[in-house]
């Protein structure tokens, strides 16, 4: 990773200086970056689930997802677990989950409360369910 990062930095600096009148700075005098800053896996790992729930299963879903959200928030690697309801379709939800890293997501998927969601989906409780994965860039509380 460090070799790749150094190569990318060299190419970026070389291309930048190709358009400027100043001489490029030798690579040996450039600032070195820590490996931690360059590792994508060190960023918070987010999962955004878009799910539409069958109308006749809403009561069961609401009990299950409230339990899932509350217990997920207690997991050591969980930064947040929000359940959002669509304003135009009361059977459509988004789960906004942020974890410290991928390992925390893997741990989450071993928990009984997560299995409740997996069982609900498997039993036909959803019309649709799509998961999106993302790296956290700017995660935090109030500005």
């Amino acid at each position: 990773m460090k070799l790749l990062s150094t190569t990318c930095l060299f190419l970026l600096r070389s291309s930048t200086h190709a358009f400027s009148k100043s001489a490029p700075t030798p690579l040996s005098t450039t600032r070195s970056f820590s490996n931690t800053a360059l590792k994508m896996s060190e960023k918070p790992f987010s999962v955004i689930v878009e799910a539409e729930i069958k109308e006749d299963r809403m009561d069961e879903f609401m009990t299950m997802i409230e339990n899932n959200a509350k217990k997920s928030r207690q997991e050591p690697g969980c930064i947040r677990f929000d359940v959002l309801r669509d304003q135009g379709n009361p059977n459509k939800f988004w789960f906004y989950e942020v974890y410290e890293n991928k390992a925390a997501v893997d741990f989450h998927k071993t928990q009984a409360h997560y299995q409740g969601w997996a069982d609900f989906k498997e039993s036909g409780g959803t019309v649709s369910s799509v998961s999106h994965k993302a790296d956290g860039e700017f995660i935090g509380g109030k500005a």
Side-chain angles (χ1 to χ4, degrees), residues 2 6 8-9 18 44 57 60 64 66 77 84 104 111 119 137:
K2 188 170 183 171
T6 303
C8 290
L9 181 61
R57 303 282 300 272
E60 177 187 354
M64 178 278 303
E66 181 180 18
L84 310 168
Q111 302 303 297
D119 292 345
E137 291 295 336

Side-chain angles (χ1 to χ4, degrees), residues 88-101:
N89 179 350
N91 296 340
K92 190 172 192 176
F93 293 82
W94 287 274
F95 315 151
Y96 178 62
E97 307 170 42
V98 182
Y99 300 89
E100 289 178 0
N101 50 39

